[in-house]
Amino acid sequence: MSSPAISQQLPPWWPKAAAIAGGAAASLLALRLLAPSEGAAAPAGKAAAPKAAAPVANGAAPGADLAAKAVQECQAEAVRKYVAEVGDKLSAGVGQSTLDSAGELGKYLAFKDQYRTRFMARPDVGEGQLLKVTDWYRLTPEDYDRTTFHVEVDVRGTSIEKLVNGADGKALSVYATNDPAAVKKFLDAMGLDPFTVVSAEEIAPQEEEGAVVLTTVEKLFTQYLDLFGKPTREFLKKLAPFAQDILEKVKIAELTLERKTEEFQDRQARAMTFAEYLMEFKSLKIPLDKYVELIPTIKQRVYSICSSSDYRPGKCQLLVVREDWEAKGGETKFGLCSSFLTFVRPGQYCVGHSTHSVMKIPEDTTVHIFMAGLGTGFGPLRA
């Protein structure tokens, strides 16, 4: 995926990919801008890309680099399949001028013999694999007070194919995306152009020095930043300087003080999000590149695997309940990742990787085992 042949010309639908609105699964808008090839001049009027240094083993075992390379190759292959499947079907739903603007960036990135680009689902998640959902069905009745469901992803050909056997007590880490409709509402309120291309060094692969990630504002807030997570006082300390109105600046700063603890805790009890704080203070002027410093990235949620690779080779199944709770004031809140999995459907994608579980089955198969599971806790017992 990163060979010079690919760098010479991006697909004709790339402008649509750069502008498309969506939140189904993996963003393919993250382009890693690597160093120009040696001896080649940068395009006229353009600065040269930062030089990318080769990954350093840092004392790792001799096989560590090979293992990392194998993971990267699997990631690239998964993305290649995704691009081949959906590339020509993308519908941006925006004006031609926006597409033309994105296209100019694509031409720059693809300037012959200058740059190499690579599509990545989550550049900041080193082990992340792009997984296609192959099955989903609800287990509880529609009128039941909780939504419990079965979801299955295809792991064939990925680096985790042999690492997600629920019979071994393994778990799957899933990276959710934010609700696109809620993100659009936020961007409209903040006056942010969803199709503006931004560079975000904070989400570049940490092991590759000099790497740069380019994505759109919409994708940044949909796929990377935990926009609807719960802020801490540290966030408010960082936020205050961006308020232009002195009264708002003081109010934000006061929320970090001991004498305002009760008010801050009340906001916490109401489950106020980063988005709500940002929309509350109208005088905030935040440069695009500062949002990644203010808001943390979406973290993994870990689910016990409820399937055995011996029974369903190449598949990984989860038993999930949509998390919900009542915040102060009576509003019902929902968990980010469990909601994401609630609405994902076969044919869509998610980013995930295997995770070690604390559940270990004894090697001696003759010993007695007592297991108990309530609700979705039954998942690993099924495996």
Side-chain angles (χ1 to χ4, degrees):
M1 290 298 289
S2 61
S3 66
I6 292 178
S7 70
Q8 293 175 10
Q9 183 179 3
L10 290 176
W13 46 261
W14 188 89
K16 288 192 291 184
I20 187 171
S27 168
L28 296 183
L29 305 184
L31 299 176
R32 189 184 62 173
L33 184 58
L34 296 178
S37 56
E38 284 196 31
K46 301 295 184 179
K51 188 171 183 179
V56 179
N58 293 326
D65 286 345
L66 292 177
K69 185 177 180 180
V71 170
Q72 292 173 357
E73 290 175 349
C74 287
Q75 291 172 328
E77 177 63 15
V79 172
R80 185 195 66 76
K81 291 180 179 178
Y82 177 89
V83 170
E85 180 178 334
V86 307
D88 293 326
K89 303 174 184 177
L90 295 177
S91 175
V94 296
Q96 187 60 41
S97 61
T98 300
L99 294 179
D100 291 341
S101 175
E104 287 302 314
L105 176 62
K107 294 174 185 177
Y108 166 58
L109 292 175
F111 197 87
K112 186 176 181 179
D113 298 328
Q114 302 300 314
Y115 304 102
R116 289 179 295 150
T117 64
R118 184 170 67 179
F119 288 99
M120 297 185 72
R122 278 285 301 255
D124 57 328
V125 181
E127 298 178 344
Q129 297 286 317
L130 193 57
L131 307 174
K132 185 175 183 177
V133 177
T134 51
D135 196 15
W136 189 101
Y137 54 85
R138 180 170 176 145
L139 298 171
T140 51
E142 291 290 341
D143 58 354
Y144 193 68
D145 63 348
R146 305 205 76 184
T147 302
T148 304
F149 55 93
H150 161 98
V151 61
E152 177 187 83
V153 294
D154 189 351
V155 296
R156 289 175 299 175
T158 70
S159 64
I160 66 172
E161 182 176 2
K162 306 298 183 182
L163 303 176
V164 290
N165 191 350
D168 295 334
K170 297 297 179 63
L172 184 72
S173 290
V174 178
Y175 293 81
T177 60
N178 291 317
D179 177 14
V183 170
K184 183 181 185 304
K185 180 180 178 181
F186 169 79
L187 296 181
D188 289 344
M190 298 297 291
L192 297 176
D193 181 357
F195 308 118
T196 298
V197 176
V198 294
S199 173
E201 295 181 6
E202 287 76 4
I203 59 176
Q206 296 182 359
E207 70 278 5
E208 297 184 27
E209 185 178 339
V212 175
V213 171
L214 301 179
T215 187
T216 62
V217 167
E218 180 192 44
K219 292 300 179 185
L220 182 67
F221 286 100
T222 301
Q223 314 238 346
Y224 295 101
L225 301 184
D226 193 10
L227 186 60
F228 304 107
K230 187 183 294 186
T232 63
R233 280 182 163 178
E234 190 61 32
F235 161 74
L236 296 174
K237 291 178 182 178
K238 295 179 181 179
L239 184 65
F242 295 105
Q244 305 302 300
D245 181 86
I246 187 62
L247 294 179
E248 288 193 344
K249 187 186 295 284
V250 170
K251 184 173 182 179
I252 297 172
E254 283 187 334
L255 286 172
T256 68
L257 302 178
E258 194 68 28
R259 60 188 176 85
K260 288 289 185 176
T261 297
E262 186 175 343
E263 181 180 346
F264 177 73
Q265 290 180 341
D266 180 73
R267 288 168 171 261
Q268 292 290 86
R270 296 179 185 278
M272 285 192 65
T273 65
F274 288 101
E276 289 173 316
Y277 273 101
L278 293 170
M279 291 188 291
E280 176 183 352
F281 300 102
K282 306 300 183 184
S283 72
L284 288 171
K285 300 295 182 184
I286 306 173
L288 284 175
D289 61 342
K290 294 300 180 182
Y291 280 101
V292 292
E293 299 176 14
L294 290 170
I295 306 173
T297 55
I298 296 173
K299 300 299 188 293
Q300 65 190 35
R301 303 299 196 272
V302 181
Y303 297 92
S304 296
I305 296 170
C306 70
S307 60
S308 169
S309 298
D310 297 330
Y311 173 67
R312 291 283 285 169
K315 305 292 183 181
C316 177
Q317 299 177 338
L318 305 177
L319 178 62
V320 183
V321 61
R322 189 184 188 192
E323 188 65 31
D324 64 85
W325 70 95
E326 185 177 306
K328 185 176 180 179
E331 184 177 358
T332 300
K333 300 290 185 176
F334 297 95
L336 173 62
C337 196
S338 62
S339 292
F340 167 73
L341 291 174
T342 296
F343 297 107
V344 75
R345 290 296 180 268
Q348 295 179 330
Y349 290 77
C350 66
V351 175
H353 60 75
S354 63
T355 299
H356 290 293
S357 171
V358 296
M359 180 176 173
K360 297 294 181 182
I361 301 298
E363 293 183 5
D364 184 356
T365 58
T366 65
V367 301
H368 295 288
I369 302 175
F370 176 79
M371 297 186 289
L374 299 176
T376 56
F378 182 75
L381 309 189
R382 177 179 182 265

